[in-house]
Amino acid sequence: MAAGDRATMTPPGRVEQPIRAAELVGALSLATDLGTGQPLEHALRTAVLAVRLGELAGATPAELSDTYYVALLHASGCTSNSHEAAQLFGDDIAHRAAFFLIDPADPSQVLGFYREHVGAGRPADVRESMLEAVISNPARGAESFAAMCEVAQRFAAWLGLAPGVEAALEYVFARWDGKGLPREVGGEALPLPARLLHVARDISLFLSAGGPDAARAAVEPRAGEAYEPRLVELALQDLDAVVNELDDGRLWEIALECEPFPQVALTGDRIDAGFGAIAALIGLKSPWLREHSVGVADLAEAAAWRVGLPAGDVVFLRRAALAHDLGRISVPNAIWEKPGPLGVGERERVRLHAHFTERAFAHCPALAELGRLAGSHHERLDGSGYHRGTEGAALEQAARILAAADCYTAMREARPHRPALEPAAAQAELEREVTEGRLDGPAVDAVLAAAGHRVPKRPSELPGRLTERELEVLLALVLGQSNQTIADGLGISVKTVGHHVEHVYEKAGVSSRAAATVWAFENNLVHAAP
C-alpha cells in the first residue's frame, strides 16, 4: 500500500487529514532550536534565508526544495551526543550555543571555547585533566559532529524526503575550504543546499547574537574559507532589507509560505514515520530515556483499544504519545540525569518541558490539538499536575490514558535517582494515584491490563465522575464530620480535604454540606458508607 492510501482507510472516529511535511518538520525544528540554545525562530529563519539566497544564486527548483528541508532539519541530530556532552561540558545545551559563534577552523578560538566550557563546575585540577584529554583526542569531536549529521540523514529518510536532502545533511559541518567535517571536502564538491545552509545558518545565528551588523561582521571575513564567496556577496548585498522583512512574530507563516513548490505532503505511514523520528530524537537525549516514548505509545495504544476508542482516535493518541516528551530537549541533561533531589529551579525547568511540547505544535492548525494532548501527560484529575493544572472533566479520556501510560512506563524504567519498580510495585503506585484522586480509575485499569496485570473489576463510574477519594470525603460529610476529623481519618492534610470538598461541591452542583448530603442520597451513595 502506498503511503498516501491509508488516509482514505481510517476507520470511523477521528478522520485523518494530510499534513504538510513543512509543518511537522517545522514543529520539530522549534524543539531542536531549544536543544541547541537558539531562539525558537532560528531554524525557520534559516530556511527562509537559505531559499531566498538560493533563488538569487540561480538554484533549480529541486535544489531549492532540498535546501528548505536541509535548513529545517540541520540540527535534528542535536540530541545524539547529549549524554556525552553533559559529562564533558556539564550543560549539553549552553555549550552548543557558544560553539556556533566561534570559527572552528581557528585553533585559538577552539582552545578558548574548550577552556571556558570543558568540565564546567568541576574543580580546577579536574578541569585541566579533562581539557588535556579533549585536546589530545580531536577525533572525539569529529565523531560527535558526524553522528549528528547521520541522525539527521536518517530522519530525512524516514520522512521520505528527496534524496538530495539526505545527501546534503552529511555536510552540515563542512566548509568551502575543506577544513570542516568531513575533512578535505569543500568547494564545488559540496552540494549547493549545504553551501546555502552554511551562509544562511550563520547569518541567523549572528542576527540573534547581535543583529545585522554582527551578522555582516562575522560572515563577510569568512568568505572563501567557511563559505562560497559568491554566496556571501549575494547574501550581504541587501541584508538589511531581507532582515526587515523577517517579522519574528510571523516567521512560522513566512517559513511555510517560503516552501518551494511542489509542497511535500505526508499521509498515513509517512506521518507515523515522522512521529517515530520525534520519538527517536527524544530517546537519544539520554540513555535513561531510550525506550520511554515508544513504550508509552505502545501502552497507551493498547489501553485505548481496551476502552473502545474509535480507531482514528487510537492513531491520534499513539502519535501524541510518541511526541509527548519532545519538550525534554529544552532541559539540560545535567537535570534529567541528576542522581539526587532536584532544586526548586531545576523542578521548574522540568515542569516547563510539557509546555514546550505543546508549544512546538501550537503554530500549526493541523497539529495543535495533538500538541495539546501530548503536552497534557503530567496533568492530574485533582489539578495538581502541570503545566496547566487542568482538572476533572476538562481532561479528555485520551489525556487520562496518556497520563497513566506515562506514569507506569516511567515507574518500570530505571532513573539516575532510583531503580526501576517491579511490576507489582508499579501497579500499587498507580492504584494509589487513583485512590488519591490524581489518576483516572478506568484509564489506569486499561493501562495495567495492557501491561499484563490482572485487574479486579472496578465498580461502575461514580455519579458526577467522583473519584474514590472524593467519595470517601463525601461520605464523611454525610456523617457530619469536620474537615479536621476527615483529615485525621484519611491521613491527609486539612487543606487537601478542603480541595476535595470543593471538587465534590463542583461535581454535585451544590454549595453546602446539607445539599451535598441530599445529593448523596439522590445518587444512592449513602449505603456505601462504612
Side-chain angles (χ1 to χ4, degrees):
M1 182 190 307
D5 293 341
R6 218 180 101 183
T8 60
M9 302 179 65
T10 304
R14 202 178 291 270
V15 178
E16 181 174 276
Q17 299 294 330
I19 298 173
R20 284 179 59 185
E23 294 174 316
L24 184 57
V25 178
L28 178 62
S29 79
L30 295 178
T32 57
D33 283 344
L34 293 171
T36 53
Q38 298 305 317
L40 282 174
E41 68 270 12
H42 168 59
L44 297 172
R45 183 167 60 195
T46 298
V48 174
L49 291 172
V51 169
R52 290 181 177 178
L53 179 56
E55 291 170 343
L56 292 174
T60 67
E63 288 172 331
L64 290 175
S65 181
D66 291 349
T67 298
Y68 181 78
Y69 282 101
V70 167
L72 289 178
L73 283 168
H74 78 272
S76 60
C78 67
T79 59
S80 60
N81 68 336
S82 291
H83 175 68
E84 295 77 11
Q87 293 177 320
L88 182 61
F89 299 108
D91 187 323
D92 61 306
I93 298 175
H95 86 280
R96 291 193 181 107
F99 184 81
F100 286 142
L101 298 180
I102 70 168
D103 183 350
D106 182 343
S108 64
Q109 291 190 44
V110 173
L111 181 58
F113 165 80
Y114 283 147
R115 286 198 176 281
E116 182 176 354
H117 294 279
V118 169
R122 302 196 184 194
D125 58 333
V126 175
R127 293 193 68 180
E128 196 62 32
S129 177
M130 294 176 69
L131 181 62
E132 291 176 5
V134 170
I135 294 173
S136 65
N137 184 19
R140 179 177 181 177
E143 290 169 358
S144 295
F145 290 124
M148 291 174 67
C149 292
E150 187 174 9
V151 168
Q153 289 179 289
R154 300 299 301 172
F155 290 165
W158 284 14
L159 289 164
L161 297 176
V165 177
E166 184 177 349
L169 284 170
E170 181 179 355
Y171 302 99
V172 168
F173 300 103
R175 290 167 55 99
W176 177 258
D177 60 10
K179 295 181 180 180
L181 297 169
R183 290 289 184 187
E184 299 181 3
V185 179
E188 298 287 345
L190 298 176
L192 179 58
R195 286 179 265 151
L196 293 167
L197 166 70
H198 299 155
V199 178
R201 175 197 60 200
D202 289 1
I203 287 176
S204 179
L205 287 168
F206 284 95
L207 281 173
S208 296
D213 290 342
R216 186 182 301 277
V219 171
E220 196 166 28
R222 300 185 194 178
E225 297 175 357
Y227 323 115
E228 179 181 355
R230 175 181 67 110
L231 298 182
V232 172
E233 182 180 356
L234 290 171
L236 298 184
Q237 66 184 4
D238 204 15
L239 180 63
D240 292 338
V242 171
V243 170
N244 288 336
E245 295 173 7
L246 295 178
D247 178 359
D248 288 351
R250 288 195 64 251
L251 257 178
W252 177 268
E253 292 81 5
I254 294 171
L256 289 186
E257 293 166 1
C258 187
E259 181 186 6
F261 284 91
Q263 295 174 344
V264 181
L266 303 175
T267 57
D269 293 340
R270 287 301 183 193
I271 298 177
D272 291 333
F275 282 98
I278 290 173
L281 177 70
I282 300 164
L284 287 171
K285 176 74 171 166
S286 170
W288 306 93
L289 302 173
R290 289 289 190 259
E291 300 176 352
H292 180 71
S293 294
V294 173
V296 172
D298 288 345
L299 199 53
E301 178 182 19
W305 286 120
R306 286 180 176 272
V307 302
L309 286 186
D313 292 357
V314 175
V315 172
F316 187 82
L317 173 56
R318 177 176 178 82
R319 291 170 181 167
L322 288 170
H324 78 279
D325 263 349
L326 182 58
R328 276 186 183 265
I329 297 171
S330 68
V331 181
N333 275 40
I335 294 177
W336 294 125
E337 299 179 1
K338 187 175 181 178
L342 298 180
V344 174
E346 292 169 330
R347 288 198 300 271
E348 288 303 314
R349 293 196 70 173
V350 165
R351 290 170 66 91
L352 280 173
H353 86 272
H355 164 75
F356 283 126
T357 292
E358 179 176 335
R359 295 309 303 169
F361 299 100
H363 300 275
C364 171
L367 295 172
E369 184 182 358
L370 185 145
R372 284 192 293 272
L373 175 57
S376 71
H377 61 285
H378 282 292
E379 302 290 358
R380 297 295 181 261
L381 291 176
D382 64 355
S384 64
Y386 58 88
H387 62 101
R388 294 187 179 278
T390 308
E391 60 182 293
L395 289 172
E396 61 178 306
Q397 189 175 29
R400 298 171 184 224
I401 293 171
L402 178 57
D406 177 57
C407 274
Y408 182 85
T409 305
M411 290 175 186
R412 293 285 294 118
E413 297 166 338
R415 292 288 184 264
H417 60 284
R418 60 156 176 81
L421 271 62
E422 293 298 324
Q427 179 177 10
E429 281 293 306
L430 249 63
E431 290 175 344
R432 183 175 66 81
E433 291 290 300
V434 173
T435 301
E436 296 292 335
R438 288 184 286 272
L439 291 179
D440 179 66
V444 165
D445 288 349
V447 165
L448 290 173
H453 292 269
R454 295 186 63 180
V455 182
K457 184 174 177 59
R458 193 179 295 274
S460 301
E461 184 176 283
L462 295 170
R465 301 184 74 87
L466 291 179
T467 67
E468 295 289 341
R469 177 62 88 193
E470 289 165 353
L471 175 61
E472 290 179 312
V473 171
L474 173 60
L475 295 177
L477 292 179
V478 170
L479 295 176
Q481 295 179 7
S482 68
N483 282 14
Q484 184 63 64
T485 302
I486 297 172
D488 293 341
L490 297 179
I492 57 180
S493 70
V494 174
K495 184 177 180 180
T496 300
V497 171
H499 287 313
H500 288 314
V501 170
E502 290 177 7
H503 296 157
V504 168
Y505 284 3
E506 180 182 348
K507 293 178 179 181
V510 301
S511 58
S512 67
R513 290 186 173 222
T517 299
V518 173
W519 186 82
F521 276 102
E522 289 173 349
N523 287 278
N524 297 314
L525 295 174
V526 178
H527 65 82

